[in-house]
Amino acid sequence: MSASMPHEDGIDHTISLMREGYLYILNRRRSFNCDVFETRLLGMKAICMGGKEAAEIFYDPEKFQREGAAPHRLVETLFGKKGIQTLDGEHHRRRKEMFMALMSPTNIKELADLVKEEWISAAKKWEQMNEVIFYEEVQKILSTAACRWAGVTVPEDEIKNLPNDLEALFESPAALGPDHWKGRNARNRVEKWVGELINQVRDGKETPPENTALHRFSWFREFDGTLLDTETAAVEVINILRPIVAISIFLNFTLLSLHHYPEEKEKLKVQDDKYAKMFVQEVRRYYPFFPFVSAKVRKGFVWNDFTFEEGTLTYLDLYGTNHDPKIWENPDVFNPERFADWEGSPFGFIPQGGGDYLLGHRCAGEWLTIEVMKVSLDLLVNRMNYEIPDQDLSYSMVSIPSIPHSKIIIKNIKLLD
Ligand code: HEM
């Protein structure tokens, strides 16, 4: 390792990471006055980095690989074994094409329409209720819409549990003890019945529509012409269902931002689609969600005089890049206007990863996320009235993922025509 790379002294800094959460890398980039530094995390030497130039090298497939980079606890909960997140090169590209084939404008609109339909039907029930917990209700909506969109028929005895199980997959990776095991158990349960469903499709007993994830992933073939093994196909179908339910986190922050910035809500009532998109982009930039992503140095290289040794685990700071003062003016101010004439860098704005969709690991569901957020924003701004009573709306910068502590209680809900 080059002597000139700033280096955090000490045996291990996992505790500092747990204490400082989303700000861990950013704090050190500031104190070292450098976008890259070396440390030790989870008992291993690691490089942390952030900013536009760092993202550019991180997403260079010649320099970094994903195989062997994801911590075990993430694979056991969030990702699943042998999923796309751990692939490299041609195998990754072929698998990514399978995902991106689902992301046509027509298909994306179909999911947005399903979300709207489920939302309106749920809101009719909310009108009769004293109050509802927005985070939980939205997860039910997204879980039902995701299964319908993916062509997945949920077994009777799983319907009630499914939103909780999918939530546990993205809430448990950083958790300790029972909360972590909840995620592992949920993964085993969901993988089992989704796997059975895939076998039924292959046996001709289930016939999901052709443009659905269940159909496409059941019949996807590797380079050698073989189908994916059942477990891997199930992992990839869950790679569609789980993150759609995770949009609930962004939706909670959307609701929170409307509450904290009422003038924005008034603007949204009279503005067009462009402003709605700017608002959604700012929610994705401003609030904490995915803190960082990891990869391993594929082949040693030198960047800005710093030596990256082969095999070194490297973390790219997503949150910190979205709050980098070299990229964003007043990064800690919520301001949708900043996206009015934003030039659209794939490395400076990376809430769902950066770089290229097919050649790299950038989130396959980013366009889908934006459209689901836009349709939900319209429902919150133009299609319903509600009140937000006094409650603890603060959120942690340490818990990963983070949501407002009360999960946002809303009451006196009224659907508008
Ligand atoms: C809820 C909001 C979402 C966030 C914050 C998010 C974030 C991310 C991040 C940070 C990555 C990793 C990027 C990297 O490794 O460089 C990723 C990858 C991925 N996301 Fe998302 N995502 C979201 C929604 C979705 C949705 C809705 C889908 C699909 C329906 C989806 C499917 C995927 C897939 C398949 C990958 C793996 C891509 C690859 O390895 O090539 N995500 N996402």
Side-chain angles (χ1 to χ4, degrees), residues 331-344:
D332 297 326
V333 172
F334 184 86
N335 175 21
E337 291 289 347
R338 70 173 78 246
F339 283 99
D341 44 21
W342 175 64
E343 88 289 5

Side-chain angles (χ1 to χ4, degrees), residues 188-212:
N188 290 340
R189 223 175 4 251
V190 182
E191 271 184 20
K192 186 164 179 290
W193 68 256
V194 173
E196 281 161 13
L197 210 53
I198 286 161
N199 288 336
Q200 285 166 15
V201 174
R202 289 174 176 172
D203 293 346
K205 293 180 192 139
E206 248 324 290
T207 45
E210 280 192 11
N211 62 346
T212 59

Side-chain angles (χ1 to χ4, degrees), residues 58-59 66 84-86 92 96 99 103 149 236 239-248 250 289-290 292-294 318 350-354 357 360-366 368-369:
F58 184 87
Y59 282 105
R66 298 304 175 100
I84 184 163
Q85 294 91 340
T86 59
H92 171 265
K96 194 67 171 280
F99 277 92
M103 304 300 165
W149 188 70
E236 300 299 34
N239 261 334
I240 292 289
L241 304 181
R242 181 204 67 245
I244 292 179
V245 174
I247 301 174
S248 56
F250 275 150
F289 192 162
F290 243 83
F292 40 74
V293 281
S294 61
L318 303 184
I350 50 175
Q352 297 179 223
Y357 290 99
H361 287 265
R362 185 177 191 139
C363 174
E366 192 165 19
L368 197 74
T369 305

Side-chain angles (χ1 to χ4, degrees), residues 134 251-266 268 279 283 287 334 377 380-381 386-395 404 406 408-411:
F134 184 69
L251 296 186
N252 250 42
F253 283 130
T254 302
L255 177 58
L256 188 72
S257 57
L258 291 173
H259 179 65
H260 281 159
Y261 309 103
E263 67 288 357
E264 287 294 335
K265 192 169 178 182
E266 292 314 307
L268 283 160
F279 188 91
V283 170
Y287 292 100
F334 184 86
L377 180 67
L380 285 169
V381 171
Y386 55 87
E387 284 167 25
I388 301 195
D390 277 349
Q391 58 192 290
D392 182 2
L393 290 171
S394 66
Y395 57 91
S406 64
I408 313 195
I409 297 161
I410 55 175
K411 58 188 254 190

Side-chain angles (χ1 to χ4, degrees), residues 16 28 51 54 62 71 98 114-115 124 156 182 207 215 267 282 300 320 349 372 381 394 409:
S16 312
R28 280 152 192 75
E62 297 292 314
M98 171 185 93
L114 287 171
V115 169
K124 286 183 183 148
E156 269 306 307
K182 205 169 132 192
T207 45
H215 174 89
K267 262 198 222 171
E282 182 65 347
F349 177 47
V372 168
V381 171
S394 66
I409 297 161

